[in-house]
Amino acid sequence: MKTKVLTAHVPLPLAEKVDEMATRLERSRGWIVKQALSAWIAREEERRQLTLEALADVDAGRVIDHQAVQAWADSLDSDNPLPPPR
C-alpha cells in the first residue's frame, strides 16, 4: 500500500501521551496516530451518514412534534408518565 507523510503540530502534552501509549502498547508512534486517525474518520463518516438519513426522514415527513416530545419528557417525573410519542 502506498503511503503519504502527513505533518501536524500537536500540543506537547498530547504528543507525550502518544509517546506513552506507544511505549505501553509496544507500538510505534505512527501506528498510534494511524489508529486514532482511522477511528476518527470512521466516526465522522458514520455521523455524516446518520445526518443524511435524519434529513431524509425530515424530508419524508417522518418527524415527531416538539410539543409531543416536551409533554412526554415533562411527564417522566410524574406518577403517570406518558408513553413515548410516535
Side-chain angles (χ1 to χ4, degrees):
M1 173 189 303
K2 290 185 179 183
T3 63
K4 181 177 183 176
V5 174
L6 300 176
T7 303
H9 291 268
V10 297
L12 190 55
L14 180 57
E16 290 170 348
K17 286 182 181 184
V18 170
D19 288 340
E20 290 169 11
M21 280 290 224
T23 299
R24 191 178 81 215
L25 296 174
E26 298 180 356
R27 296 289 189 159
S28 69
R29 184 184 301 145
W31 186 89
I32 300 293
V33 171
K34 281 188 276 189
Q35 293 297 308
L37 189 55
S38 293
W40 179 79
I41 287 172
R43 193 170 51 249
E44 288 301 311
E45 287 174 342
E46 181 181 14
R47 183 184 322 225
R48 176 169 166 67
Q49 184 59 40
L50 291 171
T51 299
L52 293 174
E53 290 172 12
L55 290 172
D57 283 342
V58 169
D59 289 343
R62 293 185 295 268
V63 296
I64 298 174
D65 181 71
H66 174 75
Q67 285 79 14
V69 173
Q70 189 65 53
W72 168 75
D74 290 344
S75 78
L76 294 177
D77 287 334
S78 72
D79 292 333
N80 297 311
L82 298 171
R86 297 201 178 268

